[in-house]
Amino acid sequence: MSDPTRKLNSPDLTTVLFATGFVLTLSMGVRHGFGFWLQPISQEYHWTRETFSMAIAIQNLMWGVFGPFAGMAADKLGTAKVIVLGAILFALGLLWMALVSQPLAFIVGSGVLIGAALACTTFGAVSGIIGRTAPDAKRSWAFGMSSAASSFGQFFMMPVDQKLIQHAGWQNALYVLAALMLIVMLPMAWKLREPPRAVDTGPQQSTIEAVREAFAHKPFLLLLAGYFVCGFQLVFIGMNMPAYLKDKGITDPSVAVIALSLIGLFNIFGSYGAGKLGGLFPKRYLLSSIYLNRSIVIALFILAPLSTYSVYIFAAAMGLLWLSTVPLTNGVIAGIFGLKYLSMLSGFVFFSHQLGSFIGAWLGGYMYTKNGNYDAVWVIVIGLGIFATLINLPINEAAIERDTKLPAAV
């Protein structure tokens, strides 16, 4: 009997974008909707907002912690196996959120399970197979397409989450999403199976050598700092927007649903556009402009009179800037370091993103509990955007020069 693995062909770019698109749509769509569970779960168990905020903060931190390891596994074992593991962990994490009522157990269990699941089903885990499949001329565009898919997930899943909670209850909504994780992701993982890759030609690096090389390279460190800001901004806004609007007198929950959906809708165009522009202009300038425009949009939002229409305008503008950093950042990493360890290095950069997410999620709940409002955090968000604008400007995007023989320790 012949070995079936010998007949396995590498998936083409269309298949890769299709399958990873479905995975990202569901994974990121569910992740962006967790803010809708903040109030019902907190009210059910008589928790402060800080408790739920801490659970999401731990989740984002663990997403970052597990990101490099998920990337290493995707580079070594293949993306398909990593997505299968992520789907199982995601389903278990959602069930944990539905069933556990003890605060510490809720925080730790849901944080670790869903954090690890996100590491296995989002950008770091899939960037390697996208980078390997896309030709050089289309790589930035392909990263933009995958980012757009995650944005579509936010647009599509926001009303789904809200309607599930409204009509089925918050616990049953989590049960439904847990089932969807397995029903959707497992078949998509099957489409991403790859044959064993041929041995790379040219300079050979071990995993440790690749990590040392990256962390000794200044542009990589600047990307880490910029992505920290990105994570802080997005998680604070995405998680606290429904509660912020309610505190300000906009009590209709559909406004928050529409606002978060608009972010997802417009980010489809923003991510796709960033991917296209990344193939035409220096990515560092595009990254700086994104962070600068975020600070401007946020400042205008908190200074202008708040209304339903101002919320929608803010959401649309932020949507154009939301995940447009992802294809540009992955494109810079691929251009500097190559493709062999792309998933792993993307995972390290995303760890910095998730440190920012952890602090943004926790600080929002902490400052609200302390001050009764989010005003101070909005100011911090604007200041960090200015910081990220400046540190992205000096990034050198040129491919790193390696000796033919790499030393044992770099």
Side-chain angles (χ1 to χ4, degrees), residues 368-388:
Y368 184 89
T369 300
K370 182 179 178 180
N371 300 329
N373 60 62
Y374 296 106
D375 294 349
V377 191
W378 283 117
V379 174
I380 294 171
V381 167
I382 294 170
L384 286 174
I386 301 298
F387 168 75

Side-chain angles (χ1 to χ4, degrees), residues 311-331:
V311 172
Y312 294 159
I313 293 170
F314 168 73
M318 281 300 298
L320 291 173
L321 308 167
W322 195 253
L323 290 177
S324 51
T325 57
V326 174
L328 299 173
T329 301
N330 284 337

Side-chain angles (χ1 to χ4, degrees), residues 94-398:
L94 291 168
L95 292 175
W96 189 279
M97 288 181 65
L99 297 172
V100 175
S101 59
Q102 202 282 329
L104 182 59
F106 180 91
I107 289 170
V108 175
S110 62
V112 172
L113 287 170
I114 295 180
L118 287 166
C120 294
T121 56
T122 52
F123 302 113
V126 305
S127 61
I129 192 171
I130 294 171
R132 289 190 296 272
T133 308
D136 291 348
K138 288 188 174 182
R139 188 168 297 130
S140 182
W141 168 83
F143 285 138
M145 288 294 290
S146 68
S147 184
S150 70
S151 305
F152 177 76
Q154 181 176 354
F155 167 70
F156 178 74
M157 291 301 297
M158 292 300 99
V160 171
D161 290 343
Q162 197 267 343
K163 291 296 183 183
L164 281 173
I165 293 172
Q166 186 177 38
H167 295 292
W170 66 266
Q171 283 181 308
N172 290 329
L174 291 170
Y175 296 148
V176 172
L177 293 178
L180 276 177
M181 288 296 165
L182 301 177
I183 292 171
V184 172
M185 288 193 182
L186 296 183
M188 293 302 104
W190 181 261
K191 291 181 177 293
L192 295 172
R193 293 173 303 144
E194 298 176 273
R197 291 194 292 278
V199 177
D200 295 337
T201 59
Q204 297 298 301
Q205 280 182 305
S206 69
T207 301
I208 296 299
E209 287 168 342
V211 172
R212 289 176 177 172
E213 177 186 70
F215 277 90
H217 199 53
K218 183 178 178 181
F220 188 76
L221 300 180
L222 295 176
L223 287 173
L224 290 172
Y227 238 28
F228 173 92
V229 173
C230 185
F232 187 105
Q233 291 177 323
L234 301 195
V235 168
F236 169 72
I237 294 172
M239 180 178 168
N240 293 288
M241 176 66 76
Y244 174 77
L245 296 180
K246 188 173 182 180
D247 292 343
K248 292 294 184 178
I250 300 180
T251 56
D252 183 355
S254 66
V255 175
V257 174
I258 293 172
L260 293 173
S261 297
L262 283 173
I263 289 175
L265 174 62
F266 277 84
N267 192 44
I268 296 172
F269 306 107
S271 295
Y272 179 81
K276 290 288 286 185
L277 291 173
L280 301 173
F281 302 102
K283 298 176 183 63
R284 61 187 181 277
Y285 296 147
L286 296 173
L287 284 168
S288 290
S289 67
I290 289 169
Y291 287 114
L292 177 61
N293 283 303
R294 279 187 191 176
S295 291
I296 293 172
V297 168
I298 293 168
L300 291 174
F301 174 62
I302 63 175
L303 291 174
L306 189 66
S307 68
T308 299
Y309 294 108
S310 73
V311 172
Y312 294 159
I313 293 170
F314 168 73
M318 281 300 298
L320 291 173
L321 308 167
W322 195 253
L323 290 177
S324 51
T325 57
V326 174
L328 299 173
T329 301
N330 284 337
V332 172
I333 296 170
I336 294 175
F337 300 104
L339 302 176
K340 182 176 181 180
Y341 292 107
L342 177 57
S343 287
M344 179 190 69
L345 295 179
S346 295
F348 276 110
V349 174
F350 202 69
F351 173 62
S352 179
H353 184 284
Q354 294 314 104
L355 283 177
S357 298
F358 170 80
I359 296 175
W362 166 78
L363 192 62
Y366 172 77
M367 294 300 289
Y368 184 89
T369 300
K370 182 179 178 180
N371 300 329
N373 60 62
Y374 296 106
D375 294 349
V377 191
W378 283 117
V379 174
I380 294 171
V381 167
I382 294 170
L384 286 174
I386 301 298
F387 168 75
T389 299
L390 298 176
I391 64 170
N392 274 280
L393 289 173
I395 290 176
N396 183 354
E397 300 177 38

Side-chain angles (χ1 to χ4, degrees), residues 18-20 22-24 26-27 79-92 120-121 177-193:
F18 174 83
T20 59
F22 266 94
V23 171
L24 288 167
L26 184 57
S27 181
T79 303
K81 294 177 181 178
V82 174
I83 289 176
V84 169
L85 175 61
I88 295 170
L89 291 174
F90 222 136
L92 291 174
C120 294
T121 56
L177 293 178
L180 276 177
M181 288 296 165
L182 301 177
I183 292 171
V184 172
M185 288 193 182
L186 296 183
M188 293 302 104
W190 181 261
K191 291 181 177 293
L192 295 172
R193 293 173 303 144

